[in-house]
Amino acid sequence: MYKKTCDIRKRILSMATTAPSYDVDFYSDDFIRDPHPHYEKMRALGPVVYLPRHDNYALPRYAEVAAALRNHEQFCSGNGVAADEFGCEYLQGNTVASDPPRHTALRGAMAPPLFPGALEKIRPRVIKVATDLIDDLIKRDVFDTPTDLSRHLPFTIVRDMVGLPDHGQDQMQKWAAAAFDVLGCQNERGKAAVKIIEESRRFIEGNVNRDSVRPGSWTSRILDLVDAGDLDPALAPFAMRDYINPSLDSTISATSGLIWQLSQHPEEWQRLRDNPVLVRNAVNEAVRLTSPARSFTRQSTSDVEIAGVIIPAGSRIQMMWGSANRDERAFDNPDKFDITRDPKAHLGFGSGIHMCVGMHLAQLEMMTLIEAMIPRIARIECDTPEVALNNTIYSYSSLKTRFVAEKESRPDIVVETPEQRNELRQMRVSARAQAATDILEFTLEPTDGQPLPVAEPGAHIDLFIRDGLVRQYSLTGEMSEGTYRIAVQLEPESRGGSRAIFDTAQVGREIMVGGPRNGFPLATHSGPVHLFSGGIGLTPIYSMALAMHHAGHDFVWHLSARNRSRAAFLDEIMALPFADKICLRFDDETSDQPDLAGVIAQLKPSDNIYLCGPLGYMDFVVSMAKQAGLKDEHIHLEHFGAEIDSTGDPFEVYLAKSDKTLHVAPTDTILDALNNVGIPVSTACQNGVCGSCLTTVLEGQPDHRDLVQTDAEKAKNDRITVCCSRSKTKLLILDL
């Protein structure tokens, strides 16, 4: 049997097309300084090229690189990703050089602080640092972009977030650059880098401990996971080193490339100033053209056939991002900097399970810098850049730059930053009390003593409970500039939000708060208003009742709950001066309670109702109100997502861009399945009420469970909330 298998393999290999050879040293100084002519020649040779100097195959075209990156089973990272065996063995085991289950454990430990929701906590500081930096650089005649601009945010923000002791912080970029040299080949740069990496390993092993790292830092979090038994202690040093390596050089490289491109394309800079919403496109276009990581290798786990070429099992295969991202087969006019391109099309952040874990942080830093530049800088001028010599990272060692400031104030240029859209504040729990059975009330005060943003009745705030976990809670009671008041109900099947708050939000605890934002505003009405609340839904309604009382407006509040013990603030509410306008209804008290259906039936079509509560309660009130003749514009709703049932029959999800099929188990969500393979999706509420995770559906019929899309939007079946919705078909194809 063995002989027969070998004979078949020999026959296949004999019939295969030989890969064209390109005899060049991929890691030579000349290649690094000017790689693009080489890339063009390799792409012209075919989809597979052999590099005899390194005994590596190479994939220089976009389609083949994208497919290989999404097939980690056949194109393995676990045996290393360098171009030679020494580099593969020496750095084997970190996230880029590992496969599941090790990769899953490492990425699961590292990723939460780098999710978009978690990064909101540091956004205010990033904005301030970026603004101060640009103001300083404008005053200079000439500055060096890699040193003075590109390094500043990573070293100011990331260095502190990693949280190493002082000496380690000072050495981070040197250690990161050395790791990328070794991940190429062992030329003189690679050999010299080994000593530097040994220094970093000795430092982490000998100096990083609970007493030496900054509390609350990413490194401290890794130690917390080890202490809790959630991370193998043997993996902790790898996770710590992985925070250092990709978080600096790649971001610095891409930022310098962005400044260079904007200087060479003043028309694109003007387009960006005229339309700042394109800032994300500009950042991603720079990442495409710069491709900070030129290439990593994969090892074939079996014979691989690509366009008639058989790559034998065990071969080293270069994933040439730098070439693929300029493939004329994938991009029109690929060498042109065009900020109107699809920002997701490039491979600069990788693809598949090894997609860059820090991509959201890199985009945040780069976007914030550009947003600070747009109102202030009329023109960017750069001298010819000098290319840094590193085996893996394409970057500039020097780029002399001048910012030509706007001569006069430009009030027409307004960059609405994420901070302005959703202001973040560090706040402290100043009071905690029992509001009802399984309901706690919390009072939050700002830590800086400054007045809070004005909140209107119906507004809610975002609580950044921990990395990757954000929940929305309505403000309740009197609106105040000094404090925020919320009520939180413990959900029996809590997926982390209410349980985490109950367990950790003690008096004195500091927490990041976003908002306030208002998707449930109280409008001005000429006629009577009926307020309906069910259970914990009374929180925004309470504020509305107070506001209407102060305004002298005619209203009635219909307050429903299972029983008196589950009605939050009941004694406080019934002591209000308008208690006679409050109609109480409790499920266990049937006598002397006006029939809710009968009350709603008496409403006039011109009346307005405001409604918040459990899903069944709200459906009943809305149905009865429409029977009474009320149109949609007179029915104002605030959904709570806690009751959404996200369970159901299992199904498959195919990710079109990732070329990956995921299984969604009966008790899992699509979001769970995506997180399991490290594919990031923006999410906040995880209850189907915020819409941040809406994802394009290419094929299949969603089983919509969300409360954010309208009936008309759901009928189109072209978007799905992956946090809670499921599929009515066995296969759902998503644009991910």
Side-chain angles (χ1 to χ4, degrees):
M1 183 66 182
Y2 173 75
K3 182 178 184 302
K4 183 178 180 181
T5 302
C6 290
D7 291 342
I8 293 172
R9 185 169 185 267
K10 287 178 181 178
R11 191 160 60 251
I12 292 172
L13 292 174
S14 67
M15 293 174 9
T17 302
T18 301
S21 181
Y22 191 69
D23 190 13
V24 67
D25 183 357
F26 185 75
Y27 300 101
S28 68
D29 293 359
D30 289 342
F31 193 112
I32 292 172
R33 287 193 179 101
D34 191 17
H36 297 294
H38 293 289
Y39 293 152
E40 187 175 356
K41 291 176 183 177
M42 282 190 277
R43 290 196 300 271
L45 287 174
V48 184
V49 177
Y50 181 67
L51 305 178
R53 302 276 187 102
H54 308 290
D55 191 22
N56 283 183
Y57 290 87
L59 305 182
R61 296 181 181 175
Y62 181 94
E64 289 73 26
V65 173
L69 292 175
R70 294 161 187 164
N71 184 1
H72 68 273
E73 293 90 353
Q74 195 163 31
F75 296 88
C76 167
S77 298
N79 292 328
V81 297
D84 61 17
E85 292 309 308
F86 177 86
C88 288
E89 293 177 6
Y90 188 69
L91 290 178
Q92 185 177 353
N94 60 11
T95 51
V96 297
S98 64
D99 284 317
R102 181 190 183 95
H103 178 270
T104 304
L106 276 170
R107 194 171 182 112
M110 292 179 59
L114 296 166
F115 286 154
L119 291 174
E120 290 300 315
K121 294 191 298 185
I122 67 171
R123 186 186 294 276
R125 188 178 175 214
V126 175
I127 291 172
K128 184 178 188 314
V129 171
T131 302
D132 291 346
L133 173 64
I134 298 305
D135 286 344
D136 175 66
L137 294 178
I138 289 174
K139 299 173 186 176
R140 304 192 197 183
D141 179 33
V142 177
F143 62 89
D144 190 40
T145 287
T147 302
D148 300 325
L149 188 152
S150 304
R151 281 169 46 109
H152 191 78
L153 268 177
F155 269 77
T156 304
I157 303 297
V158 176
R159 189 174 63 176
D160 288 348
M161 296 307 299
V162 172
L164 292 177
D166 289 343
H167 176 70
Q169 291 185 350
D170 296 338
Q171 301 300 312
M172 280 175 58
Q173 188 176 18
K174 182 178 75 170
W175 294 345
F180 285 117
D181 272 329
V182 173
L183 284 172
C185 72
Q186 304 326 294
N187 53 15
E188 291 305 313
R189 277 187 294 273
K191 293 175 182 177
V194 172
K195 294 181 180 179
I196 299 173
I197 294 174
E198 289 297 331
E199 174 191 321
S200 73
R201 291 180 174 180
R202 288 194 299 270
F203 179 84
I204 289 175
E205 292 170 2
N207 297 276
V208 176
N209 53 57
R210 179 64 65 194
D211 296 329
S212 64
V213 302
R214 188 172 65 83
S217 65
W218 296 343
T219 304
S220 176
R221 182 179 174 278
I222 295 297
L223 297 177
D224 290 341
L225 292 174
V226 171
D227 291 345
D230 295 329
L231 180 66
D232 184 342
L235 296 182
F238 291 92
M240 294 174 191
R241 291 200 294 267
D242 274 358
Y243 274 139
I244 297 170
N245 296 344
S247 60
L248 296 175
D249 287 67
S250 53
T251 305
I252 293 169
S253 166
T255 303
S256 299
L258 176 57
I259 297 301
W260 167 249
Q261 293 295 340
L262 290 173
S263 74
Q264 298 305 293
H265 298 87
E267 74 285 355
E268 294 297 279
W269 175 238
Q270 188 57 51
R271 178 186 289 182
L272 189 54
R273 299 189 79 205
D274 293 339
N275 190 10
V277 74
L278 291 172
V279 65
R280 184 180 295 275
N281 293 53
V283 165
N284 280 279
E285 178 69 344
V287 172
R288 180 186 73 84
L289 282 171
T290 303
S291 295
R294 298 194 301 138
S295 174
F296 285 145
T297 71
R298 300 290 191 267
Q299 187 176 47
S300 53
T301 58
S302 61
D303 293 346
V304 181
E305 187 272 327
I306 299 177
V309 175
I310 301 294
I311 302 176
S315 299
R316 285 271 151 215
I317 309 167
Q318 296 267 5
M319 304 289 118
M320 289 195 165
W321 294 293
S323 176
N325 276 332
R326 296 203 184 200
D327 186 357
E328 55 276 8
R329 296 157 192 81
F331 303 97
D332 293 332
N333 201 0
D335 295 326
K336 176 174 170 44
F337 180 71
D338 180 357
I339 67 173
T340 64
R341 292 188 200 271
D342 178 358
K344 297 181 180 180
H346 67 84
L347 297 173
F349 290 123
S351 189
I353 68 169
H354 291 92
M355 195 165 189
C356 177
V357 71
M359 61 178 290
H360 297 295
L361 176 60
Q363 289 174 326
L364 169 63
E365 292 173 340
M366 295 172 69
M367 289 173 63
T368 305
L369 282 169
I370 299 303
E371 288 168 345
M373 291 167 56
I374 284 173
R376 298 169 173 82
I377 298 171
R379 192 169 69 255
I380 304 166
E381 298 176 350
C382 291
D383 294 347
T384 301
E386 296 178 15
V387 177
L389 297 177
N390 184 278
N391 283 342
T392 300
I393 294 293
Y394 181 82
S395 62
Y396 301 144
S397 60
S398 179
L399 178 62
K400 300 302 181 185
T401 305
R402 288 164 292 279
F403 281 166
V404 180
E406 189 66 59
K407 292 182 179 180
E408 298 181 1
S409 175
R410 289 285 306 275
D412 58 308
I413 298 181
V414 179
V415 181
E416 185 185 12
T417 67
E419 182 191 39
Q420 292 168 325
R421 293 193 293 268
N422 182 23
E423 185 171 352
L424 296 175
R425 298 288 292 269
Q426 189 74 24
M427 301 190 73
R428 180 187 299 109
V429 179
S430 61
R432 166 183 170 133
Q434 196 80 33
T437 299
D438 290 334
I439 299 176
L440 292 179
E441 65 167 296
F442 298 91
T443 302
L444 306 173
E445 63 182 12
T447 56
D448 58 9
Q450 297 299 310
L452 294 170
V454 175
E456 299 294 332
H460 70 266
I461 57 175
D462 300 326
L463 261 60
F464 293 82
I465 301 164
R466 62 169 183 263
D467 293 332
L469 183 61
V470 185
R471 291 291 185 268
Q472 291 75 38
Y473 293 100
S474 294
L475 297 176
T476 193
E478 291 280 7
M479 298 292 103
S480 166
E481 291 187 355
T483 60
Y484 289 152
R485 188 186 187 194
I486 62 173
V488 179
Q489 178 171 285
L490 179 63
E491 298 297 333
E493 303 299 326
S494 171
R495 286 178 287 168
S498 62
R499 171 54 65 188
I501 293 177
F502 268 55
D503 291 345
T504 64
Q506 305 296 330
V507 173
R509 162 78 187 276
E510 292 191 1
I511 188 167
M512 189 66 73
V513 175
R517 292 181 287 139
N518 202 341
F520 187 39
L522 178 63
T524 300
H525 303 289
S526 58
V529 172
H530 289 259
L531 308 174
F532 293 88
S533 68
I536 193 62
L538 66 80
T539 50
I541 300 298
Y542 185 6
S543 296
M544 292 181 172
L546 286 166
M548 300 193 78
H549 169 70
H550 295 325
H553 196 89
D554 184 19
F555 73 96
V556 178
W557 180 4
H558 305 273
L559 189 159
S560 300
R562 288 193 219 167
N563 53 57
R564 292 179 180 269
S565 71
R566 291 184 174 274
F569 315 121
L570 184 58
D571 292 342
E572 175 184 322
I573 288 172
M574 295 314 296
L576 293 170
F578 54 85
D580 59 327
K581 295 184 177 182
I582 303 174
C583 297
L584 300 177
R585 292 178 177 83
F586 301 109
D587 293 348
D588 62 348
E589 299 179 17
T590 57
S591 61
D592 300 326
Q593 290 188 161
D595 175 56
L596 186 59
V599 169
I600 301 174
Q602 299 301 314
L603 296 178
K604 298 176 182 178
S606 60
D607 290 347
N608 280 270
I609 69 171
Y610 287 79
L611 168 64
C612 186
L615 189 58
Y617 170 83
M618 294 180 67
D619 286 346
F620 174 77
V621 174
V622 170
S623 174
M624 295 301 299
K626 288 186 175 181
Q627 288 184 36
L630 274 72
K631 303 296 184 184
D632 287 344
E633 57 267 29
H634 291 272
I635 302 173
H636 314 273
L637 308 175
E638 172 83 319
H639 280 295
F640 279 26
E643 288 198 2
I644 292 177
D645 179 9
S646 61
T647 63
D649 293 334
F651 58 97
E652 306 294 317
V653 172
Y654 176 70
L655 309 180
K657 289 182 177 177
S658 304
D659 190 23
K660 197 168 190 64
T661 300
L662 308 179
H663 177 72
V664 182
T667 58
D668 287 342
T669 64
I670 302 173
L671 182 62
D672 293 331
L674 292 169
N675 286 338
N676 287 340
V677 296
I679 295 178
V681 174
S682 297
T683 181
C685 71
Q686 298 187 26
N687 287 314
V689 297
C690 73
S692 62
C693 70
L694 279 167
T695 300
T696 299
V697 176
L698 300 178
E699 191 174 321
Q701 185 176 2
D703 179 5
H704 296 291
R705 309 282 181 93
D706 68 276
L707 301 172
V708 68
Q709 297 187 91
T710 65
D711 290 342
E713 289 171 333
K714 290 180 179 179
K716 293 179 181 178
N717 285 325
D718 59 355
R719 294 198 301 169
I720 186 173
T721 49
V722 297
C723 71
C724 64
S725 295
R726 302 189 68 81
S727 179
K728 293 182 178 179
T729 51
K730 289 294 184 182
L731 177 66
L732 202 62
I733 301 179
L734 302 183
D735 190 28
L736 288 174

